[in-house]
Amino acid sequence: MATDDYDALVQRSPQGSVFALSWWLDAVAADAWEPHVVEAGGEPAAAWPSAVHGSRWGRLLASPPLTPFLGPLLPPRVGRSRSREIKLLEGLVKAAGGAAHIEARCSPGFDYWTPLSWHGFTQTTRYTWRLDELRDTEAVFRAMRENVRRHVRNARKRGVTIETAGLSDFLGVHAATVGRKGLGEVAAVSRQALARVEAAASAREARTILVARGEDGHVHAGGYFVHDWRYVYYLMGGSDPEHRSSGASSLLLWGAIEQAAERGLGFDFEGSMLRPVEEFFRAFAGVPAPYSVVRRTTSAGLRAERAVKRHLRGLTAR
């Protein structure tokens, strides 16, 4: 199947996003991904792109790093009938073959996972926060929680400004965040993927790097944002712990939201189930958008291995 045909399906699918485009997957999966396509009339009608990993139990299909949404891509629904959608979903399960494990954080646009349950999948609902309507940014600002509005105003009074920046500026402030949270190993994997994303996304003008800089020139906060034809996504962020009281993080996100409005796009905070992060995102008056995490493990050996690991973790936690 031609890459152009696959990307055309991504762009017309209600579940499509920048994270499913071939260039993005080439970057984050280092070319180790497959589209798993169902065709109709010689054209791709549906796809389930996944990163592919080998294991002693067989193939593992999952989402690659820095990819919040992936999973099944279906064509626009015609009328109220789900029949074609069910047929395509079952075709995608077959196209994925006998993988030992399949897991996907699906797009919020994927709203009907029942046919997957018939094939042994389980599902967990999670949430991202979105601002879909940004034509009136003044109204959006008024709707935000008072403490966030106050942080934005105070940051401006202190001379904090928002500016576009290079990757090195962002990585500096991001390192301060992951160091504080003890996420060095996870961050190393993300940084490797981000370097490849940066090369691909900057060439396509599909990303923006913003930093909040104080009057003294220090970067207080930074964010890496990517966008497609629907949303600007808050992919990664960081803040300097020495300047946490400056209001820079709130000002940075507000600046990104204003830029999304200028592009005529919505804004996706790219969700979090962590309580302090969720509370911060919720304060920007967005709407919770549910999405499904679906998974199926067909390998008995892999299931047993994971059960042993869970048991050992439980013992060490006592």
Side-chain angles (χ1 to χ4, degrees), residues 213-229:
R213 196 181 297 275
E215 286 184 311
D216 59 0
H218 285 96
V219 174
H220 293 200
Y224 195 101
F225 305 87
V226 296
H227 67 268
D228 55 28
W229 51 98

Side-chain angles (χ1 to χ4, degrees), residues 136-279:
D136 187 346
T137 53
E138 291 184 4
V140 174
F141 189 79
R142 289 194 301 269
M144 294 190 317
R145 195 178 295 164
E146 169 55 29
N147 67 315
V148 173
R149 299 200 307 270
R150 185 174 63 254
H151 291 162
V152 170
R153 290 191 291 262
N154 288 343
R156 287 172 173 164
K157 289 178 182 177
R158 292 171 177 167
V160 179
T161 57
I162 303 301
E163 60 185 58
T164 57
L167 185 61
S168 59
D169 281 328
F170 169 72
L171 289 177
V173 73
H174 182 258
T177 299
V178 298
R180 185 175 74 248
K181 295 182 178 179
L183 299 174
E185 185 176 344
V186 175
V189 174
S190 295
R191 283 186 177 222
Q192 292 173 5
L194 185 61
R196 298 191 296 268
V197 166
E198 170 65 8
S202 60
R204 293 167 174 81
E205 298 184 349
R207 68 93 173 104
T208 301
I209 301 173
L210 297 179
V211 297
R213 196 181 297 275
E215 286 184 311
D216 59 0
H218 285 96
V219 174
H220 293 200
Y224 195 101
F225 305 87
V226 296
H227 67 268
D228 55 28
W229 51 98
R230 293 189 178 111
Y231 290 96
V232 171
Y233 302 88
Y234 183 27
L235 188 69
M236 297 177 71
S239 61
D240 188 332
E242 294 185 6
H243 298 283
R244 294 184 68 182
S245 62
S246 70
S249 294
S250 295
L251 180 61
L252 179 86
L253 276 182
W254 177 241
I257 291 167
E258 288 183 311
Q259 287 197 5
E262 291 172 3
R263 286 191 170 103
L265 302 174
F267 190 85
D268 189 317
F269 292 86
E270 206 273 281
S272 178
M273 300 297 283
L274 299 175
R275 186 166 187 166
V277 180
E278 188 274 348
E279 290 176 347

